[in-house]
Amino acid sequence: MQTILGSNGQIDQELAKELARNYTQDIRLVSRHPRKVNSGDQLVAANLLDFNETNQAIADSDIVYFTIGLPNDSAIWEAQFPIITENVLKACEANHSKLVFFDNTYMYAKTKQPQTEESPFLPTGRKSVVRAQMANMVLQEMAAGKLTAVICRAPEFYGPAKTKSITNNLIFNNIIEDKLVKIPVSDQTLRTLIWTPDASRAMALIGNTADVYDQTWHLPTADSLTYRDLILLSQKIMGKPIKAIVIKPWIFKIASCFNQNARELQELLPRYSTDNIFLSDKFKRRFPDFQVTSIQEGIKAIVQQ
């Protein structure tokens, strides 16, 4: 049994598809309101803030994928994520289940220094502190020998369907709807984005490769590019001009006085003012046959959906 905790997001659904395609038909999807992705999926409704429900959801699982998302609200993250993480760790240990922990880069320094698996945690901002705390909880259990686990870390998403990210919300959604594209902070800094189906395929591969556990892996990405490059590529692919503006930090700051999403975005804006380069060389050396989706292929898939 391979179990996905948090099964209604884009990453989770792509992960369920990939597991069914290439690894197992014995898949359990867990969330408050799970929905089938594959016809044979087992559904379990659970509140992961409750240990007993978490333990029952994980029971008999060989591999557990932690892909849980919460609303973009710092207070909710602080109140719920540490409890959920602790419950999942305890349940995996009790059931002797391997854990694949899907992580982001919030805890890294918001500087132009390229990010690797060895980059130190230097969190700034409430959500960044929470994500560092969660990752450290996993690392501590791994180091103590209580848990067989692997951390799969990804930079900002871009992707098809209902992918939720700043780049999708401000850029690609507006391109599709033929609206004004809004570029956060700068169109000149380098960005590393991960195609959501690639993240899910890579996570499934790692989860089903025995010798890669007990370490951290950066999931595979295409080359970094600027938002200006992204717009130019999109124009070339679509064959028409795209109107875009750069939204400066002071505009976000004003908007934060009236808008919850803009307020929550404040701590992430520094990563858009400088190059944000995420390196996945370790993964590419270990899995040289993995085909990373190019930015051009990704854009085509988005605009043609």
Side-chain angles (χ1 to χ4, degrees):
M1 175 69 69
Q2 299 200 24
T3 296
I4 302 173
L5 304 178
S7 60
N8 291 330
Q10 187 70 18
I11 290 290
D12 322 304
Q13 293 181 12
E14 294 289 348
L15 175 59
K17 293 174 186 177
E18 178 65 14
L19 290 176
R21 271 193 302 262
N22 291 309
Y23 300 101
T24 182
Q25 299 300 311
D26 204 9
I27 299 168
R28 179 184 296 160
L29 305 182
V30 180
S31 70
R32 287 181 182 268
H33 305 287
R35 299 187 300 270
K36 283 190 177 185
V37 176
N38 311 294
S39 60
D41 292 341
Q42 178 187 133
L43 303 183
V44 174
N47 175 7
L48 300 180
L49 289 165
D50 181 279
F51 173 72
N52 289 329
E53 291 192 30
T54 305
N55 193 46
Q56 291 171 7
I58 286 175
D60 302 318
S61 299
D62 299 305
I63 302 172
V64 173
Y65 299 86
F66 186 113
T67 61
I68 300 159
L70 290 176
N72 189 30
D73 184 306
S74 296
I76 293 176
W77 282 37
E78 291 166 341
Q80 297 187 14
F81 257 146
I83 296 172
I84 292 171
T85 304
E86 182 178 4
N87 286 343
V88 171
L89 294 176
K90 287 169 58 180
C92 283
E93 291 167 10
N95 290 282
H96 306 289
S97 305
K98 294 180 179 180
L99 176 65
V100 180
F101 184 81
F102 185 58
D103 205 5
N104 64 27
T105 63
Y106 283 23
M107 71 290 296
Y108 288 155
K110 296 175 178 65
T111 66
K112 64 180 180 181
Q113 182 68 31
Q115 300 161 353
T116 71
E117 288 86 353
E118 287 73 42
S119 293
F121 292 177
L122 297 169
T124 55
R126 295 169 67 184
K127 291 190 291 296
S128 300
V129 169
V130 172
R131 291 304 310 196
Q133 179 184 359
M134 294 165 65
N136 279 324
M137 291 169 71
V138 178
L139 290 169
Q140 287 166 8
E141 296 302 289
M142 288 165 55
K146 297 179 181 179
L147 177 72
T148 299
V150 61
I151 294 176
C152 296
R153 188 163 290 136
E156 185 183 340
F157 304 153
Y158 83 109
K162 296 180 181 180
T163 297
K164 294 182 179 179
S165 71
I166 294 172
T167 296
N168 264 68
N169 290 342
L170 296 183
I171 296 177
F172 286 117
N173 290 354
N174 287 326
I175 288 176
I176 291 169
E177 296 171 10
D178 201 23
K179 294 180 180 178
L180 180 66
V181 169
K182 301 169 184 177
I183 298 172
V185 182
S186 173
D187 63 356
Q188 300 297 317
T189 56
L190 289 171
R191 320 239 44 78
T192 309
L193 303 172
I194 191 165
W195 180 244
T196 48
D198 282 0
S200 299
R201 287 195 301 120
M203 188 160 40
L205 176 58
I206 286 174
N208 287 277
T209 304
D211 66 353
V212 303
Y213 277 81
D214 297 322
Q215 52 191 302
T216 297
W217 294 85
H218 277 190
L219 298 180
T221 66
D223 293 338
S224 303
L225 79 171
T226 68
Y227 277 134
R228 176 175 170 77
D229 296 332
L230 196 67
I231 298 301
L232 291 174
L233 274 172
S234 299
Q235 288 184 155
K236 183 177 180 180
I237 289 167
M238 298 185 72
K240 65 178 185 180
I242 294 171
K243 294 181 180 180
I245 59 170
V246 175
I247 307 297
K248 296 299 184 182
W250 65 267
I251 298 178
F252 282 106
K253 190 170 184 64
I254 292 174
S256 70
C257 297
F258 312 99
N259 183 281
Q260 171 72 14
N261 287 331
R263 188 155 53 249
E264 294 293 339
L265 187 59
Q266 288 297 304
E267 74 173 77
L268 299 180
L269 290 182
R271 81 182 197 187
Y272 293 91
S273 64
T274 187
D275 292 346
N276 188 256
I277 300 173
F278 177 93
L279 301 179
S280 50
D281 297 354
K282 176 181 174 181
F283 180 96
K284 292 172 181 176
R285 288 193 298 269
R286 177 60 181 80
F287 300 104
D289 295 331
F290 187 96
Q291 295 296 311
V292 177
T293 301
S294 70
I295 295 291
Q296 291 91 334
E297 291 170 328
I299 293 172
K300 285 180 182 179
I302 290 172
V303 301
Q304 292 173 0
Q305 66 187 1

